[in-house]
Amino acid sequence: LKRNPDNFKYYTLLEASLGTLTKSPKYRDALYQKFVKFYPRSDAPRFIPLTFLKGELFAQRVGDYILSLLKRGVPATFTNVKPLYADPEKVEIIEKIVLDFLPKSLEISPLVWVWTSYFLSQHYLKKGDVTSAKTHIEAAVEHTPTLVELYIFKARVYKHLGDFNKAADIMNEGRLLDLQDRFINSKAVKYYLRSDNVDEALTLV
């Protein structure tokens, strides 16, 4: 762990050797709080307890985890917590925490508000609420129309709405912000092909 405190397997194997895997979630959480102090820059000891905690203690830990990432403007915040979405109870707790934080985020920084809105759009799309996802991503794009990541996700939302032509146009709009980004260039081609606009796809290629 000292050599690589970001390896999730090491924590599991250490717990196996300590015999803590069968202990109560509260006991295991206390162990991970020690790891957090030992390895303050590591993500693993902060995230792992979220996989086994429930109720109030989960709400406390997941709130600390998500909000610390959002306050730092980490775009991948949702990707980090996505594995927790298998549990509907945890999903509702996360939604409440982030919705409560949204109005306060503006006081910290306009960019923090943008990434929080981006998170909520991803959250609602994962839940299958495409309308709410569209509302949050459009608000984020309107606020900061220079972030490529927002256009990529907005296009994805319109794809889920079934509007393939609009989705392709949005992806291309994002592509024009950074013509050297090969990822979004490729995505724009893919989206034009999906909308059956082969000529435009060939032009981009």
Side-chain angles (χ1 to χ4, degrees), residues 2 16 24 40 67 89 97 104 108 119 146 153 162 173 199:
K2 193 173 182 182
S24 71
L67 299 187
E89 186 185 328
I97 287 167
K104 301 169 191 169
I108 300 167
F119 179 98
T146 52
F153 195 74
E173 197 179 342
D199 292 338

Side-chain angles (χ1 to χ4, degrees), residues 93-187:
I93 291 170
I94 289 169
E95 182 176 313
K96 184 180 186 309
I97 287 167
V98 182
L99 280 174
D100 287 348
F101 177 68
L102 184 64
K104 301 169 191 169
S105 63
L106 265 175
E107 298 168 15
I108 300 167
S109 153
L111 203 55
V112 171
W113 181 88
V114 168
W115 289 124
T116 305
S117 299
Y118 178 65
F119 179 98
L120 283 168
S121 184
Q122 293 172 295
H123 163 83
Y124 282 117
L125 189 64
K126 179 68 178 168
K127 280 184 71 178
D129 184 351
V130 189
T131 305
S132 296
K134 178 173 173 278
T135 301
H136 284 285
I137 198 63
E138 286 189 334
V141 171
E142 188 179 342
H143 186 280
T144 309
T146 52
L147 284 173
V148 174
E149 292 92 339
L150 302 182
Y151 290 89
I152 293 172
F153 195 74
K154 184 179 176 182
R156 189 175 165 200
V157 169
Y158 273 86
K159 179 189 80 174
H160 280 269
L161 286 167
D163 193 342
F164 299 141
N165 290 321
K166 177 80 171 170
D169 289 340
I170 292 166
M171 189 67 79
N172 191 53
E173 197 179 342
R175 183 188 73 85
L176 294 172
L177 293 174
D178 185 359
L179 296 173
Q180 292 185 323
D181 187 331
R182 289 184 218 168
F183 175 75
I184 194 167
N185 272 295
S186 302
K187 291 291 278 187

Side-chain angles (χ1 to χ4, degrees), residues 5-23:
D6 291 309
N7 190 319
F8 279 61
K9 258 187 189 175
Y10 291 170
Y11 292 93
T12 307
L13 293 169
L14 179 60
E15 277 210 82
S17 23
L18 292 172
T20 57
L21 287 169
T22 54
K23 299 279 187 181

